[in-house]
Amino acid sequence: MFKVVSCLAYEHDYSFVVVAAIVCVASAVMTIRLFDRAGRLSSDARLSWILLSAMACGAAIWTTHFVAMLGFRLPMDHAFDPVLTIASLLIAIVFSAGGLFIATSRTKGVPGECGGVVIGLGIVAMHFTGMAGLEVAGRIEWDWSLVAASVLFAFSFGTATTHILARHRFRFSRPLAMGLLVLAICTMHFTAMGAATLVPDPSVFVEPRTMSSEFLAVLVLAAMAIIAGLALYSVDARSQRELIDGFRHAALHDALTGLPNRAFLSANLPAILEQDRAGGLQTAVLVLDLDRFKEVNDVHGHHTGDFLLQDLSRRFTQLMGKGEMIARVGGDEFIAVKRQVRGRADVDQFALRLVACVLEPLERNASTLSVGASVGINLSSGDCGDAEDLIGAADLAMYRAKRSLGDKICYYEPSMDEGRRARSALAMELRYAIERDELELYYQPQLDVRSGRVSGYEALLRWHHRQRGIISPAEFIPIAEETGLIIPIGEWVLRTACAEVSGWKKPYRVAVNIASAQLTQADLPKIVHETLLTTGLPASRLELEITEASIIEDRERTLHVIRQLKALGVTIAMDDYGTGYSSLSTLQVFPFDKVKIDRSFIDGLLADEAATAIVKATILLASSLNIAVLAEGVERQEQIDFLQAEGCTEAQGFLFGRPRPLPEIAEQVGRRVKQADPAVSRAA
């Protein structure tokens, strides 16, 4: 080892040694940075970055060697063989590429440390190839123990370098890896130089075909400049390209799931349709909407909902075969495309695979998440419209499937367009129903079960269309909710009911339904208060009915609104109890005065054990919380007898009277005709 120190101290020009060290460190930094970049990329994009890293590493090995050689004071004539000199550079790059590839690929059964052995072998091979290209007027004698030590240094530090790179990422892991790579190169070179003893021999002649030291210096500088420039250019070009590709990918893919988005479909589906049409084949578009996904969000939180979407998207991606793709285009809505369809059987199989994928339960935090799917399908034809028309038709089929109680997979039919046009036309007519005085309130009596006397009436909306006659609320209320018309219509119902009932001599209570959209209005309590003041109806005679579904949409906001309404003196009833998200906590937290048992349970009373048990439990629960209970849909005497025996407070149904317009119940309610009619007119 003394020979190594002596060689470094007395046989080298220090200025060249310093330059060699600077070149080695700079190249090592570039090597590690490029290596890290390669490790973060996919396998397809990784190879080019490994080659860049290998060029930097090979340059570090080669330039360190030859810059140090330029500073080596040789006591005799010398020059360098051009073939072996250039070959030594290629050897350094090739072995570096192989070692770095092994370190990044993490091939099964091949540890990353093997890459360090390959890099060490490249350092050794490059050094001795370069030394073989050194032509001197003498001969070289080797100290084989130091040669062995130099090889050991190269292998040891090279292996340590890739070990850190492949297996560790702590605060100073990258600087440590850079230092180890520098040690692998420098310790090997200077130890091997210390192992060489040059013995002059006047009989040996340096041939003129070899390169001089001056030419080698120019070559080294040129190689360094070319490699550095190439690396910087490649890094800059690739960085810009990757940045552009990243923006393009973000614009065409969903941020949460990574699936293609609607923009991707709009950009690619027209070409897909054209290609399949040219080949005489069809394209299937499937619109898939998750069922019960809102329940997952409401019960478990939006983070769980996002987790479910991510897991489902991963399963969808694994499910896709050749000619199949799926995109996320909304909160819980997906669009799948199947190319080159030869018949419905192909599409049926694809749709069933999608539904089966959705139905597979997901375990998270000791909870089982389960959702369903409604699928609408449309097949392109030879004269099919554009991509948006195809998707729109599949969307119509999906809504038909969602409303269906049976099959959740539905193909588009032209009649669906007719239904959509009819609904659109009805929506347009509904906008002017109030202005045309086509809306009217019917009233259905509510009876006290114990006394058998009328305790109040529920106001029910009817639409007298000038051409179509009476339109069922089941037909126009969903349209009003979809279009937002439910808000002005709901306000009309509230004002009209209060105005009409205020003119009754008998102080019956009136129940008015409040839609979910009305609960989102910040000024709902103000509207109710102003209506009571304007019409003169005492607050104690107004009962507002709120469905369970509207509570779940925003529990805190709904609770705040209900408390404000209660402060006005009106009573609050929970409508359709048992059909939504019924829970003990809902009745505990929300200050309801009454619970209305849905008619579906009353229909099954006495015949259905489950319905009977639910009715009993509801009455018992409400009684313990001092909440009145009203049963809807009572039509038979045995039903009222059962309810009376169980302690139900009130009942409503055809057994006691159908909904009727105000003139038909004027005598029962003691209506003051001359005073009420102007009020009704003003309210309308």
Side-chain angles (χ1 to χ4, degrees):
M1 194 56 66
F2 176 76
K3 292 180 65 178
V4 176
V5 176
S6 177
C7 173
L8 183 59
Y10 302 112
E11 299 176 9
H12 282 82
D13 185 334
Y14 291 157
S15 59
F16 282 92
V17 173
V18 171
V19 172
I22 293 173
V23 169
C24 187
V25 170
S27 300
V29 170
M30 183 180 294
T31 299
I32 301 305
R33 290 177 65 87
L34 293 172
F35 175 88
D36 275 344
R37 187 64 174 271
R40 292 193 296 266
L41 299 175
S42 63
S43 56
D44 295 336
R46 184 181 300 160
L47 183 59
S48 57
W49 284 91
I50 290 176
L51 291 176
L52 283 174
S53 182
M55 292 175 65
C57 187
I61 299 168
W62 189 79
T63 53
T64 300
H65 174 89
F66 280 102
V67 169
M69 286 299 297
L70 290 174
F72 189 49
R73 298 189 182 96
L74 293 173
M76 61 198 74
D77 292 337
H78 64 280
F80 298 90
D81 182 273
V83 176
L84 291 177
T85 300
I86 299 301
S88 64
L89 173 60
L90 297 178
I91 287 172
I93 294 175
V94 170
F95 275 86
S96 296
L100 293 172
F101 178 79
I102 294 173
T104 55
S105 61
R106 301 174 180 86
T107 306
K108 187 176 180 180
V110 181
E113 288 79 3
C114 291
V117 174
V118 174
I119 292 174
L121 183 60
I123 296 172
V124 172
M126 180 273 133
H127 179 88
F128 288 105
T129 302
M131 290 300 293
L134 176 63
E135 301 286 346
V136 296
R139 65 181 186 276
I140 302 177
E141 295 181 353
W142 297 97
D143 182 338
W144 294 107
S145 61
L146 288 179
V147 170
S150 68
V151 173
L152 181 62
F153 283 143
F155 285 176
S156 298
F157 288 121
T159 302
T161 301
T162 54
H163 171 77
I164 295 295
L165 291 175
R167 300 184 185 275
H168 297 284
R169 184 169 286 278
F170 48 87
R171 183 177 180 184
F172 296 108
S173 62
R174 269 39 196 168
L176 177 59
M178 296 171 191
L180 290 171
L181 181 58
V182 171
L183 285 174
I185 297 170
C186 292
T187 56
M188 189 277 150
H189 172 81
F190 289 109
T191 303
M193 289 303 297
T197 301
L198 300 177
V199 180
D201 186 349
S203 63
V204 177
F205 176 70
V206 178
E207 298 183 11
R209 64 180 176 83
T210 56
M211 297 185 298
S212 65
S213 296
E214 291 75 12
F215 185 80
L216 177 62
V218 173
L219 179 63
V220 168
L221 291 174
M224 289 172 57
I226 292 173
I227 292 174
L230 179 61
L232 290 174
Y233 173 79
S234 300
V235 169
D236 182 64
R238 287 185 176 276
S239 296
Q240 291 187 24
R241 186 160 58 250
E242 287 178 1
L243 185 62
I244 294 172
D245 291 343
F247 281 127
R248 184 180 294 114
H249 184 276
L252 298 177
H253 290 78
D254 176 55
L256 178 65
T257 64
L259 292 178
N261 58 15
R262 187 178 289 275
F264 183 94
L265 282 178
S266 299
N268 292 277
L269 187 55
I272 291 174
L273 293 174
E274 186 60 36
Q275 290 172 8
D276 285 355
R277 187 185 298 116
L281 299 171
Q282 290 181 296
T283 307
V285 173
L286 298 85
V287 175
L288 184 149
D289 189 83
L290 300 184
D291 300 329
R292 304 187 303 277
F293 177 72
K294 186 176 182 300
E295 296 179 28
V296 173
N297 272 339
D298 291 338
V299 176
H300 301 282
H302 289 280
H303 289 299
T304 300
D306 290 346
F307 177 78
L308 188 148
L309 290 173
Q310 290 171 333
D311 184 80
L312 184 58
S313 298
R314 177 186 57 79
R315 283 185 267 155
F316 278 152
T317 302
Q318 295 173 349
L319 181 72
M320 293 299 109
K322 183 179 179 181
E324 299 171 351
M325 64 166 289
I326 190 165
R328 181 184 178 223
V329 296
D332 60 347
E333 188 173 324
F334 299 82
I335 295 180
V337 177
K338 184 172 180 62
R339 302 190 58 185
Q340 301 177 350
V341 174
R342 300 181 183 277
R344 279 202 174 190
D346 292 346
V347 186
D348 290 341
Q349 186 182 25
F350 182 46
L352 290 172
R353 282 194 286 129
L354 289 173
V355 173
C357 185
V358 173
L359 294 177
E360 184 180 337
L362 173 64
E363 301 292 333
R364 177 176 169 82
N365 297 333
S367 298
T368 300
L369 308 178
S370 177
V371 294
S374 299
V375 182
I377 305 173
N378 191 18
L379 280 169
S380 66
S381 57
D383 57 347
C384 71
D386 60 19
E388 290 302 320
D389 291 338
L390 202 63
I391 293 173
D395 201 47
L396 283 176
M398 184 274 292
Y399 279 107
R400 173 71 63 86
K402 188 170 281 290
R403 292 192 295 268
S404 171
L405 297 177
D407 193 3
K408 287 297 183 178
I409 299 177
C410 181
Y411 278 85
Y412 166 77
E413 297 174 359
S415 60
M416 295 178 186
D417 263 333
E418 297 173 6
R420 180 176 62 174
R421 285 192 292 269
R423 285 173 64 86
S424 298
L426 198 61
M428 292 293 293
E429 295 286 337
L430 186 58
R431 292 181 184 276
Y432 303 103
I434 297 177
E435 296 177 11
R436 295 171 180 171
D437 198 24
E438 295 179 350
L439 299 182
E440 184 181 9
L441 292 182
Y442 278 38
Y443 295 90
Q444 186 174 27
Q446 299 173 336
L447 269 71
D448 182 284
V449 172
R450 293 178 182 176
S451 66
R453 296 177 181 175
V454 174
S455 58
Y457 287 83
E458 180 178 6
L460 301 169
L461 183 62
R462 296 293 183 266
W463 181 11
H464 294 274
H465 193 278
R466 55 182 59 188
Q467 278 87 33
R468 297 178 54 180
I470 295 181
I471 299 177
S472 168
E475 186 175 355
F476 72 82
I477 291 297
I479 295 175
E481 291 176 339
E482 291 174 10
T483 58
L485 292 172
I486 194 66
I487 291 179
I489 290 175
E491 291 183 14
W492 180 90
V493 170
L494 178 65
R495 292 196 308 269
T496 304
C498 290
E500 291 182 343
V501 174
S502 67
W504 298 356
K505 288 183 179 180
K506 297 182 180 180
Y508 291 128
R509 181 188 63 249
V510 63
V512 177
N513 289 280
I514 298 296
S516 299
Q518 290 177 272
L519 279 176
T520 63
Q521 292 178 275
D523 59 346
L524 177 62
K526 179 182 177 182
I527 292 173
V528 173
H529 182 55
E530 291 178 349
T531 301
L532 292 173
L533 292 176
T534 303
T535 60
L537 181 71
S540 59
R541 293 179 60 190
L542 176 62
E543 181 175 282
L544 302 178
E545 296 184 358
I546 299 170
T547 62
E548 290 184 78
S550 61
I551 295 172
I552 297 300
E553 289 180 5
D554 191 339
R555 291 176 65 92
E556 292 184 5
R557 181 183 181 84
T558 305
L559 179 59
H560 179 66
V561 171
I562 290 177
R563 285 173 174 168
Q564 287 181 304
L565 293 172
K566 287 276 291 182
L568 297 176
V570 303
T571 57
I572 307 295
M574 176 190 283
D575 198 13
D576 301 335
Y577 183 81
T579 60
Y581 309 87
S582 307
S583 67
L584 295 176
S585 63
T586 302
L587 293 180
Q588 273 186 318
V589 174
F590 286 83
F592 290 110
D593 300 290
K594 182 184 295 184
V595 170
K596 298 185 70 173
I597 303 176
D598 188 72
R599 67 179 63 250
S600 60
F601 298 105
I602 304 302
D603 287 340
L605 203 59
L606 302 177
D608 186 339
E609 292 183 1
T612 303
I614 289 173
V615 172
K616 283 184 176 182
T618 302
I619 295 173
L620 181 61
L621 173 62
S623 177
S624 65
L625 296 173
N626 296 318
I627 299 175
V629 178
L630 184 147
E632 294 184 293
V634 178
E635 298 182 0
R636 302 189 304 275
Q637 185 61 42
E638 58 266 27
Q639 293 173 337
I640 192 63
D641 292 340
F642 175 86
L643 293 169
Q644 189 174 29
E646 292 297 326
C648 182
T649 314
E650 295 178 274
Q652 176 181 344
F654 290 169
L655 182 64
F656 315 114
R658 293 176 177 272
R660 292 187 293 169
L662 183 57
E664 294 184 17
I665 64 168
E667 185 177 345
Q668 290 95 312
V669 300
R671 176 193 180 204
R672 296 193 297 269
V673 179
K674 291 184 178 180
Q675 295 180 13
D677 282 347
V680 175
S681 177
R682 285 194 302 272

